[in-house]
Amino acid sequence: MDEYGALSVVTDTGYVEIAKDFTFSDISVSASTGDIKCFADAQNAIKIKASTGAISVQGVEAKSLDLHVSTGNVNASGIAVTDSLTLRVTTGRATLTDVTCHSFTSHGDTGDISLKNVIVTDKMHIERDTGDVKFDACDAGEMFIKTDTGDVTGTLLSEKIFIPNSDTGDVSVPKTLTGGRCEIITDTGDIKIDIK
């Protein structure tokens, strides 16, 4: 596999795809309008930003991964990040599958976030204004989840000390007394978590 220095791509309108056959020291992609697909590894950071368009990252390894989209969906799968994974979505759905990282932070205004087999060794922090947060066989050392309008549901892999709070929704969490802190806050939404 060929190894290269830093890759930087800036485009106003267009489609960007970075093939799996390459490894870079750093990857930086910024697009105003257009989809971005990344299959390449980076020794350090991968940063992808799109104003309007979808972001797809599959089968990559990096020290850190930063994904930011204003209007559009994010799909990340088969990701191994040794440090931090940051995901920012203004309006759109985010789906993460088979992801490992040290820390995970996600902020969004409008849109659901779905996580399947996402393993975070340290802290997971997710905030949404309008949108559901869904877990399927996920885990983290500590978790902080907050939504204004949206449900928080799904399954975790290990016991947690749950601290749930919903103003107007139903709350159902395991009555476990060991594990890391898991604080879940919703204004108008249900909280339903199980241990798988």
Side-chain angles (χ1 to χ4, degrees):
M1 183 177 293
D2 296 327
E3 296 186 8
Y4 298 90
L7 172 68
S8 179
V9 179
V10 179
T11 178
D12 288 333
T13 303
Y15 170 80
V16 178
E17 180 173 326
I18 305 170
K20 180 66 179 175
D21 299 332
F22 304 98
T23 297
F24 299 91
S25 61
D26 295 270
I27 297 173
S28 176
V29 182
S30 178
S32 295
T33 303
D35 296 344
I36 302 170
K37 292 186 177 182
C38 179
F39 305 96
D41 297 336
Q43 295 174 351
N44 298 310
I46 298 176
K47 296 181 180 181
I48 300 176
K49 182 177 181 180
S51 295
T52 303
I55 295 176
S56 178
V57 181
Q58 299 179 22
V60 307
E61 297 181 2
K63 183 177 181 181
S64 64
L65 177 62
D66 189 335
L67 306 176
H68 185 190
V69 63
S70 296
T71 304
N73 297 333
V74 174
N75 192 314
S77 62
I79 310 297
V81 178
T82 56
D83 197 355
S84 62
L85 196 164
T86 303
L87 171 62
R88 288 169 288 180
V89 180
T90 303
T91 303
R93 171 184 289 273
T95 304
L96 281 71
T97 306
D98 299 329
V99 174
T100 60
C101 59
H102 179 69
S103 63
F104 174 66
T105 303
S106 178
H107 294 275
D109 292 339
T110 304
D112 298 343
I113 179 168
S114 300
L115 297 87
K116 182 177 181 179
N117 192 30
V118 174
I119 308 300
V120 182
T121 55
D122 192 25
K123 296 180 181 180
M124 176 187 291
H125 187 132
I126 299 174
E127 292 193 43
R128 284 291 183 278
D129 289 339
T130 303
D132 297 336
V133 180
K134 301 176 183 179
F135 298 106
D136 183 355
C138 297
D139 213 349
E142 294 185 0
M143 305 176 71
F144 177 82
I145 315 298
K146 185 179 187 300
T147 70
D148 290 338
T149 304
D151 300 333
V152 180
T153 61
T155 57
L156 305 179
L157 294 178
S158 68
E159 294 185 351
K160 296 286 182 289
I161 300 173
F162 289 96
I163 306 171
N165 183 54
S166 177
D167 291 341
T168 61
D170 296 330
V171 176
S172 175
V173 299
K175 296 179 180 180
T176 51
L177 301 175
T178 61
R181 179 186 178 95
C182 181
E183 185 173 358
I184 304 174
I185 301 171
T186 70
D187 290 339
T188 58
D190 297 336
I191 300 172
K192 295 182 181 180
I193 300 293
D194 292 308
I195 305 298
K196 193 166 185 177

